[in-house]
Amino acid sequence: MTYAAEIPRPRWLNTESIKLTLTLGGRFAGEQVWQTQPEKVGGASGYQTRVQTDFAGALPPLRTVQVSRYLPDFSSLSYSESDGRGKPSFETVFDSHAALMTLRQHKDEASAPLLTPHHDPVSLVMALRSPDAPIDPWRATLVGGPVHIQPLPDTEIGGVLARAYHLRPGGAYVAAELAAPHRILCLIQPTDFGPVEASLAVERKNPERPERRRRRG
């Protein structure tokens, strides 16, 4: 596995906070905040992204917190899920030095050989935001199994050009701004209640008025 010291940080990614609005069948269903910041990983460069989801409205009130630590190539170093008030209910640690993957769920713990770099649910979305993400179908390795990623034709979301992907299994949808800073514009995740959509409110630019256009010739 490649170490963080050998991988330059992406120029487009830095400290940021993105707030998405959740909807279910067109009804308000809560909010989701993605917070990313650079951090040192064993003395080298890396990132941490924290995703706090507060369900409300059309969904039962519930908070989930996901924390992902990853290298500049978006391979995961650790990932956890909690309610934000106590110890994680689920956690994975990827130790490249020991070539070992450790999974903890409540009081249970298990380990397995780490044979290839892994993504986690958060670092995968961050990878799909990258302008260097593959434009052909590809496969990412997660703890639960491989995820097949199908690039879709570029589309417009709120008047902003976006690159989109369909993920299998599960049928999730990810769309990010094509231009820097490559913000997440739309995430659709199937749930037991139906597909929950997380979307960024995009400000539309006012069209240029005809009288202000420069005349040519």
Side-chain angles (χ1 to χ4, degrees):
M1 181 181 292
T2 308
Y3 296 104
E6 303 169 359
I7 310 169
R9 277 181 172 164
R11 293 184 178 182
W12 59 271
L13 183 58
N14 212 316
T15 301
E16 68 173 10
S17 181
I18 299 175
K19 181 183 289 187
L20 307 177
T21 299
L22 306 181
T23 55
L24 174 63
R27 297 179 295 166
F28 176 76
E31 291 183 339
Q32 187 175 76
V33 177
W34 290 65
Q35 295 177 310
T36 297
Q37 62 183 20
E39 70 170 16
K40 291 294 183 179
V41 181
S45 299
Y47 291 94
Q48 180 189 110
T49 295
R50 181 182 187 272
V51 183
Q52 179 172 309
T53 305
D54 291 294
F55 296 104
L59 291 172
L62 179 69
R63 169 173 290 177
T64 63
V65 176
Q66 301 161 276
V67 178
S68 171
R69 296 172 63 248
Y70 50 94
L71 300 177
D73 67 353
F74 306 102
S75 57
S76 184
L77 293 168
S78 68
Y79 172 76
S80 66
E81 297 178 0
S82 71
D83 60 7
R85 294 181 296 179
K87 292 183 178 181
S89 57
F90 176 81
E91 184 177 16
T92 58
V93 177
F94 304 95
D95 187 342
S96 59
H97 295 281
L100 196 66
M101 176 174 59
T102 302
L103 291 77
R104 303 184 184 97
Q105 189 163 12
H106 301 294
K107 296 182 179 180
D108 297 327
E109 181 174 315
S111 297
L114 180 61
L115 303 178
T116 184
H118 279 55
H119 288 84
D120 60 58
V122 173
S123 73
L124 178 57
V125 172
M126 298 300 288
L128 294 177
R129 291 177 56 189
S130 170
D132 298 322
I135 59 175
D136 297 315
W138 58 290
R139 185 178 72 172
T141 303
L142 277 74
V143 169
V147 174
H148 298 272
I149 299 156
Q150 177 65 51
L152 302 175
D154 292 347
T155 185
E156 279 196 6
I157 298 177
V160 176
L161 192 60
R163 179 177 292 164
Y165 300 90
H166 181 255
L167 280 58
R168 297 182 292 108
Y173 173 87
V174 178
E177 189 175 21
L178 197 56
H182 310 290
R183 297 171 299 174
I184 300 168
L185 297 179
C186 181
L187 302 173
I188 300 177
Q189 180 67 49
T191 71
D192 293 339
F193 300 94
V196 174
E197 179 174 341
S199 58
L200 177 70
V202 179
E203 293 184 6
R204 291 177 177 268
K205 294 182 178 180
N206 293 327
E208 187 180 24
R209 295 182 181 180
E211 63 270 23
R212 292 187 178 180
R213 292 179 181 172
R214 293 182 178 180
R215 295 181 180 180
R216 298 181 179 177

